[in-house]
Amino acid sequence: MKKRIVLALLAAAALCQPLPAEEGMWLPVLISQRIEDMQAHGFRLTAEDVYSVNQASLKDAVVLFGSGCTGEVVSRDGLLFTNHHCGYSQIQQHSSVEHDYLKDGFWAMSRSEELPNPGLTVSFLERMDEVTEAVLRGYDASMSEAQRDSVVKANSDAIVKSVADPDKGIRARVEALYYANQYFLFVYKVYRDVRLVGAPPSSIGKFGGDTDNWMWPRHTGDFSVFRIYAGRDNEPADYAADNVPYTPKRFFRISRAGVKEGDFTFVYGCPGSTKEYVTSDEVRYVGEVSDPEKIALRTQRLDIQKKYMAQDPAVRIQYSSKNANVANAWKKWQGEAKGIARLKTVAAKQAYERRFEDWARGGRYEGLTGRLAAVYARRNPAYRAYEYYTETVRTVELLQLAGNVKGALEGKRPVAPLAESFFKDYYRPIDEEIFVAMLEAFDRHMAPGYKPEYFKKQLAAYGSVAAWRDDLYARSLFTDRARVAALTEADLPQVLADPAWELYDAFYQWYRQDLQPVIEDASRELRLLYRDYMRAQMEFEPGKAFYPDANLTLRVAYGHVAGYSPSDAVHYSPVSTLKGIMEKDNPDIFDYNIPQALRDIYAAGGHEAQPVCFLATNHTSGGNSGSPVINADGNLIGINFDRVWEGTMSDIVFDPDYCRNISLDIRYLLFVIREIGHAGWLFDEMEFAD
Ligand code: ARG
Ligand code: GLU
């Protein structure tokens, strides 16, 4: 009956609340345990309003958008808001030279003009239920881990099978929470006819680009508008011209009352991944090894890309999205590493671990942190080599092409489209320079025991990475667009003999043989030890409220509108306005070149105070993009799209002084739809609370 004690403890742990209101991503189904605290902070609704399976609740207006963002329903006709960067690939797919919706924006002027997006889905959470007992039925403590895994898998599969109904769009998943101390069933209804209704021009939707990404003050109009369609029975259906707008169980009413410092805010969405309960060894690896090394490598790549982008507008376009991708995590890691250092999280966790071990002495958890440390000691050198490999050799585009073409030929897939999309955005001088910089960095920073034999031999033979590069790019067929496009299965021997494929493959085989087994063994052990350590931490601190790490399931985060002070003598206030856009506006700087229409509207006067974005203390993460930001009355006041970089360590440790999420003020969305999109017809179906 130990299981029962653990469950009771888990429930009790979630009940108590000494955490600051800001920290935490709570499970909606357990919201009754937080509701008093939420109400104490200003929330005026009930637990049943937030999550209910008996009546329509706010959860019925929130969706997982695609497979990594959040969205919210805002009308009884299935109108949906998410971020511009979440709808980006759909907007891009509909764009052509004649209709450049990325550049100019897109606005359907009637429902018949809304654009279908094959493959795009939105998933509504029907319900979530704790199923720990059912998942562990038949398990007893004498079983091996392999046996436990197969019990868990068999039971989970049976549970999923009993509720899933693919024909009706009902999908189900059993998710392990609290490091597999608890299991929850999530049942989703997935709609698959989702049409694009509107998007601002990128100069609004991506205003500030990567210059302002993760930054405050921020002025990005990061939204796009979609509509969910259903069959005549309101159920999920494949795209069909005569599908009808989906009638939701619940949609958000929009508040135009605005926000001010201290106002209650509530973010309802799907954060992707956090690790709040790891040991000091993991934090040290992230903050002192992994982040700094990856940042340094990416700085080199970004500098090389930027140098060529500045010389040629065509290259700037080719590399802008690649550059943005490299820069996004690069900037996030900087905030994470700095935050971990500033908060002295390693030392704080070490002190915690000492207290924990004092408490654990003589019991079954004794020595747990030491066992975790031993696994990290074994794992980290191999894991570091793996990360170095992915951030160096794997970033060379020519080698990626060789790998992809080989895979396509073997899988009997056509190569021509691959070649087409690759060369459209390929600039060889950038790639050659990155080849040299990355392979040199690998050589310099990896100990001899962590380099492939092939790499050592080749480098010795060539004498330098530069000489190797000259020879490889001169001989490889992959530099030649026409030759790549014409490759067929019959050419496989040629591909296998190509120096680019050889290098790609030699590293991959080394990874498979030397690194992967070590890393996978260690991960398995870590999983087991963390299962105990998570449970042990809950027993050690029975008075603390533990929220489960994020895993892209629906969560509630609540806090309040707040500015912050990033450094001495600097204070940021929490609301940005159109005036700030005008201050940044510069036709010569791509990221700050706003549409002329916006300049004209501003010049006409009266819009100086138009709010654009605001800051709050909600605990969010990647995946919360597009999440509804809700006020004390449950009405929509914003759309979450980012965090400030100084607070990105919140995936590991939350700091109420620095951690801020960034939201688009819903009134800016309304302003852009009206003034820039002239799509006021959409207001007819929205409901305004004030
Ligand atoms: N930082 C945000 C996120 O992590 C926005 C990324 C997209 N925007 C950009 N400028 N790259 O997803
Ligand atoms: N931009 C992120 C996303 O796409 C949200 C920012 C973050 O909190 O990591 O989910």
Side-chain angles (χ1 to χ4, degrees), residues 68-70 83 85-86 213-214 218 222 270 272 328 332 620-626 640-644 648 650-651 660-662:
C69 278
T70 307
N83 289 148
H85 79 263
C86 294
N213 192 22
W214 303 110
R218 189 65 160 277
D222 199 345
C270 311
N328 194 38
K332 182 197 156 179
T620 56
S621 190
N624 269 123
S625 277
N640 184 75
F641 69 94
D642 210 359
R643 279 175 289 172
V644 299
T648 51
S650 65
D651 291 348
R660 296 289 178 272
N661 63 311
I662 307 179

Side-chain angles (χ1 to χ4, degrees), residues 654-674:
F654 190 89
D655 178 357
D657 290 339
Y658 283 80
C659 295
R660 296 289 178 272
N661 63 311
I662 307 179
S663 304
L664 168 77
D665 191 307
I666 207 68
R667 293 168 298 169
Y668 187 52
L669 171 147
L670 300 172
F671 170 87
V672 171
I673 290 180
R674 185 176 61 238

Side-chain angles (χ1 to χ4, degrees), residues 147-386:
Q147 285 170 316
R148 184 187 192 273
D149 287 347
S150 60
V151 167
V152 166
K153 182 164 184 333
N155 287 336
S156 302
D157 288 351
I159 296 169
V160 165
K161 213 168 150 220
S162 71
V163 292
D165 190 345
D167 292 342
K168 297 211 165 92
I170 303 293
R171 293 219 197 112
R173 283 176 65 90
V174 170
E175 303 274 3
L177 296 174
Y178 297 105
Y179 290 89
N181 282 294
Q182 253 182 325
Y183 294 89
F184 275 84
L185 170 69
F186 290 81
V187 182
Y188 297 97
K189 191 180 264 193
V190 183
Y191 283 81
R192 52 190 190 274
D193 182 355
V194 184
R195 304 186 196 171
L196 178 64
V197 176
S202 293
S203 50
I204 287 176
K206 226 185 144 193
F207 179 78
D210 278 283
T211 314
D212 285 5
N213 192 22
W214 303 110
M215 304 273 275
W216 191 258
R218 189 65 160 277
H219 300 90
T220 312
D222 199 345
F223 77 93
S224 56
V225 186
F226 287 79
R227 188 187 306 280
I228 307 166
Y229 279 80
R232 298 210 159 268
D233 54 1
N234 205 36
E235 294 297 316
D238 287 333
Y239 168 79
D242 60 352
N243 279 349
V244 295
Y246 164 70
T247 306
K249 286 187 222 161
R250 178 77 188 248
F251 62 91
F252 285 107
R253 295 200 305 160
I254 293 169
S255 166
R256 289 172 298 196
V259 299
K260 58 177 190 321
E261 184 111 27
D263 282 356
F264 176 87
T265 55
F266 163 14
V267 173
Y268 211 158
C270 311
S273 159
T274 57
K275 39 185 175 187
E276 311 284 345
Y277 307 106
V278 293
T279 60
S280 55
D281 293 289
E282 170 81 28
V283 180
R284 181 172 33 215
Y285 177 74
V286 171
E288 294 172 19
V289 180
S290 175
D291 281 354
E293 293 195 328
K294 290 187 295 191
I295 292 163
L297 290 168
R298 288 196 177 202
T299 302
Q300 280 187 283
R301 280 161 67 203
L302 289 166
D303 286 349
I304 293 168
Q305 291 177 346
K306 273 187 241 150
K307 183 175 76 185
Y308 291 98
M309 288 166 78
Q311 288 166 12
D312 183 345
V315 176
R316 184 179 52 67
I317 292 168
Q318 282 183 315
Y319 276 75
S320 65
S321 155
K322 293 178 186 179
N323 192 263
N325 278 336
V326 179
N328 194 38
W330 169 79
K331 207 149 167 185
K332 182 197 156 179
W333 291 330
Q334 296 183 39
E336 187 171 79
K338 267 188 100 155
I340 287 170
R342 188 184 54 241
L343 293 168
K344 301 192 171 56
T345 307
V346 174
K349 291 250 182 190
Q350 283 168 339
Y352 174 87
E353 286 150 22
R354 280 193 297 274
R355 278 184 281 125
F356 172 86
E357 287 297 342
D358 281 346
W359 168 82
R361 194 158 304 127
R364 63 193 174 121
Y365 299 127
E366 179 170 357
L368 196 47
T369 58
R371 289 198 289 285
L372 278 158
V375 181
Y376 280 116
R378 221 164 346 107
R379 184 204 72 155
N380 285 0
Y383 199 73
R384 174 174 174 253
Y386 160 70

Side-chain angles (χ1 to χ4, degrees), residues 560-599:
H560 60 272
V561 175
Y564 71 112
S565 179
S567 56
D568 183 41
V570 178
H571 182 80
Y572 286 140
S573 53
V575 178
S576 67
T577 63
L578 198 53
K579 180 165 167 276
I581 295 187
M582 296 304 139
E583 287 168 0
K584 287 177 179 172
D585 176 30
N586 185 335
D588 297 327
I589 300 177
F590 181 77
D591 284 345
Y592 292 144
N593 183 14
I594 59 170
Q596 187 55 41
L598 194 52
R599 283 183 199 119

Side-chain angles (χ1 to χ4, degrees), residues 479-511:
T479 58
D480 184 333
R481 172 187 226 143
R483 270 178 84 191
V484 176
L487 287 173
T488 67
E489 246 185 291
D491 300 313
L492 256 177
Q494 224 185 317
V495 167
L496 297 179
D498 191 273
W501 164 258
E502 249 188 29
L503 169 54
Y504 176 91
D505 189 50
F507 265 90
Y508 185 63
Q509 298 307 334
W510 162 76
Y511 159 71

